[in-house]
Every structure is written in C-alpha cells, then in structure tokens.
Amino acid sequence: MRLLGVGMCAAALLLGVVAAPAQAAGGSRDLRGAGWALKETGKDARFRGLAAVSRSTAWVAGSKGTVLRTSDGGRNWRDVSPPGAVAEGLELRDIEAFDGRRAVALAIGEGEASRVLRTEDGGATWTEAFRNPDPRAFYDCLTFFDARHGLAMSDPVDGKFRILSTDDGGRSWRVLPNAGMPEALAGEAGFAASGQCLVSAGPRDAWLATGGGAAARVLHSADRGLTWQVADSTVPAGNPARGVFGLAFRDRTRGLAVGGDYRTGEASPQAAAVSSDTGRTWRPASTPPPAYRSGAAWFPYGAGTALAVGPTGTDVTVDGGRTWRALDPGSFDTVACTADGGCWAAGEKGRVGRLERPGRG
C-alpha cells in the first residue's frame, strides 16, 4: 500500500565513531552514547529501501528510481540506479543484497509499476526479473532466506495476500498458490514504508505485517510462503493509516513489530509489540516508543538489544522489546544491522546514517 504521508520532518546532525565489534560485544550493548552519523549521499531521494551488508558496505533504494551503494562506510556513494527505473520515476521501496555486487530491488505500485530488478555487477547493469501483469496487484516488500530463495508480497488480490517466490536468486519469479493463505480483512494491506512488511529468519520462516483493517495482524509461514498462520498484534489498527509497518525477527522465535499511525500529529499508542513464540502471540511493549515507528532491527551484540526508527526519532530496547527509550531525534524510515556490528538507517531527503560512538574507533 502506497503511503500518503511522505512529507515527514527532518532531524539534526548526529555524531560518533563506530565501535569495533569487540568493543560493541563488551560494555556497549545498550548503545549509550551512540548516535547516527550522517553520510552525505548528494541525493534528495527518499530512501525507504536499505540493504546493510557490513559496516563498510550498504545499498539504499528509493524514489525517482534511485539506488546508491557504498563500500567504504558511507564516505563515498556510487550512483548505481537502473536507467529504466530512473527514466520512469519508479518507487524503489525495498532492496536485498547478498554482497557488494549482487542485489535485488523492488519497485512498488499498481499493475506494471510493481517490478523486481536484479544486478550481479554492483549495479553497473540491471535486469528486469519480474513485471507485474495484474492491475489488481500492488507489491510492497520482498525478503530472502538465502542467496537463492526469496519471496515478495502484494496487497490482497481476490481477498488474499499474493506471494511471489524465487529459487534462483531472483532471476525468475512465480506466483504461489493461495490455498494456504488466510482471507484478508476488509481494507487490509501491507505498508511499503521500510521494506520490512515481509521479513524472514533462517531457511524457511517468513512473516508478513498488515494494517488498514480492523486489526493489525502478523502472518507467519514455516514453509517459504506456501501456508500461513495469522495472529492479531497489539498495535492499533482500524484506519487505513494505522497498523504494523515493520517487523524484525532475531531468530525464528523472537520478534518485534512496530507501527502506529503514520499521519503527522496523530497519536500512536502501543506502537510496538513483542513475540517469543514465532509470532503466534504478541504482547504490547510496557514502555513503547512515543510515536509512530516504521522500521526495526536487532543489534547483533546483546541478546535483547534492538533499534526502532521513524520520522520523529530512534528508540532502543535492551530487554527484547518490552521497554524502549529514546536514542536520537533524527528522522529515518528504515534501519538494518549486520553481523559485524554495522547499523545503518535511511530516510527522506537523501538521509543515510551509520550508528557510531563518540571517541570510539
């Protein structure tokens, strides 16, 4: 579902130097003193797609068909935008990268505006792997289990969410049968806000986040999208602007859901929820983020440490999502962390940041 409220507020410059993994694994798991150091991209696109490969390598994708890649921690960015996507002004809302050369990007929109693009040479060339032929479909997010197997999801068609599948690294895609997909609620859809309305953990488990209906729900598949179980979250819904916008699973059991109401000035109580049973049940955060959040990511050091981002700031939890505290006021739409301790965030007006610590290097 296309977001209507795109004019969200910007934030101030943030400071720091990245902690080395050994330091982060020690006394740094609560991220005290850390903040987002902005990395100048030279672009004004809104980056809702983010693929963090490592502390040094990351990809961002966004409006106007823009894709950028860095291999030096954000000091320099290479414009590797697909020419066709730029020419048509496609909205690239999700990108998944296997390394610094191979990536798969999703363009959203009704009908043929929804496309999957793929590169194997760092963005020097792109191949269109899928173009949606159904005017009723609107693809929102994609995810990969490994370098071969992945899924993409569309808002409901014929009353059910539609799932695309690939088993060759995104070179080809097929629509999965919908017999194992529960019926969608009236008005229910996914939010193409952060590339996190469809996520995966391990070789077979995937989760899909919804909003816009009477309840904000999370659907779970344990067989790469063939069958799904559905659970209500505790994030408020009941309006096209409310629901779960982003999911993050540390493993196949422990998950976070963030969201709220994306409209500027609207309250977003209970903007986060937590699950410890593969998404079968959800509990509200006892101290949630203070406002709408669109993206979340687990920090690799500290079993319960995670980040949530949105237009009014970043919050951190150190107890697995039960309580959140403010980390920084900067505006971001999406966030991702890597196994070597690199955390990246991206958002409006070309903003990209890397999580860093003052005086640590």
Side-chain angles (χ1 to χ4, degrees):
M1 178 165 57
R2 179 181 295 274
L3 286 176
L4 301 178
V6 296
M8 297 179 175
C9 61
L13 179 66
L14 307 168
L15 305 174
V17 178
V18 153
Q23 295 170 317
S28 306
R29 68 179 186 175
D30 65 357
L31 301 181
R32 293 187 184 277
W36 295 111
L38 295 186
K39 307 298 180 179
E40 178 59 45
T41 64
K43 302 292 183 179
D44 63 356
R46 186 163 198 164
F47 294 122
R48 294 186 187 270
L50 167 65
V53 177
S54 67
R55 290 173 57 202
S56 60
T57 300
W59 303 66
V60 291
S63 57
K64 306 173 187 177
T66 308
V67 178
L68 306 181
R69 177 177 56 83
T70 183
S71 58
D72 59 7
R75 288 189 295 274
N76 296 283
W77 292 88
R78 183 183 296 271
D79 187 335
V80 295
S81 305
V86 174
E88 296 188 53
L90 295 182
E91 287 284 334
L92 300 174
R93 294 290 183 93
D94 200 353
I95 186 166
E96 304 289 329
F98 309 117
D99 49 41
R101 296 187 61 78
R102 297 174 297 159
V104 179
L106 174 71
I108 70 158
E110 296 176 350
E112 292 190 354
S114 284
R115 304 176 196 178
V116 178
L117 308 172
R118 186 178 185 275
T119 182
E120 293 184 335
D121 54 14
T125 61
W126 292 84
T127 301
E128 184 179 292
F130 172 79
R131 181 180 296 209
N132 171 39
D134 191 335
R136 302 170 299 169
F138 186 116
Y139 286 86
D140 298 293
C141 293
L142 59 84
T143 189
F144 275 83
F145 304 95
D146 53 42
R148 291 179 53 202
H149 302 93
L151 302 175
M153 59 81 68
S154 164
D155 289 341
V157 177
D158 295 328
K160 294 183 177 183
F161 285 93
R162 176 170 287 182
I163 303 296
L164 276 182
S165 175
T166 180
D167 59 8
D168 57 10
R171 293 179 181 86
S172 63
W173 297 80
R174 65 186 180 94
V175 175
L176 292 181
N178 68 2
M181 175 66 72
E183 293 285 340
L185 302 176
E188 191 175 25
F191 289 106
S194 60
Q196 295 179 341
C197 60
L198 179 69
V199 301
S200 56
R204 304 188 71 82
D205 288 276
W207 295 264
L208 187 161
T210 83
R217 307 196 297 174
V218 178
L219 284 69
H220 169 238
S221 173
D223 55 12
R224 293 185 183 155
L226 291 175
T227 61
W228 297 81
Q229 301 296 317
V230 64
D232 289 353
S233 77
T234 59
V235 176
N239 183 282
R242 294 201 295 259
V244 177
F245 283 71
L247 297 169
F249 273 79
R250 190 174 191 92
D251 48 43
R252 74 178 307 268
T253 59
R254 294 176 292 171
L256 303 171
V258 298
D261 190 320
Y262 71 76
R263 295 173 296 182
T264 302
E266 292 293 326
S268 290
Q270 299 180 344
V274 60
S275 176
S276 58
D277 58 6
T278 320
R280 288 192 296 271
T281 61
W282 292 86
R283 305 181 305 279
S286 57
T287 305
Y292 157 73
R293 296 293 180 254
S294 53
W298 291 94
F299 187 62
Y301 308 118
T305 304
L307 300 161
V309 301
T312 60
T314 299
D315 304 288
V316 62
T317 178
V318 296
D319 56 13
R322 292 187 295 276
T323 62
W324 295 83
R325 66 171 177 84
L327 180 74
D328 200 280
S331 171
F332 291 106
D333 293 315
T334 188
V335 61
C337 296
T338 61
D340 65 353
C343 288
W344 297 81
E348 62 182 344
K349 299 180 181 178
R351 283 171 53 86
V352 178
R354 191 175 67 172
L355 196 67
E356 305 185 354
R357 284 179 174 277
R360 302 286 290 275

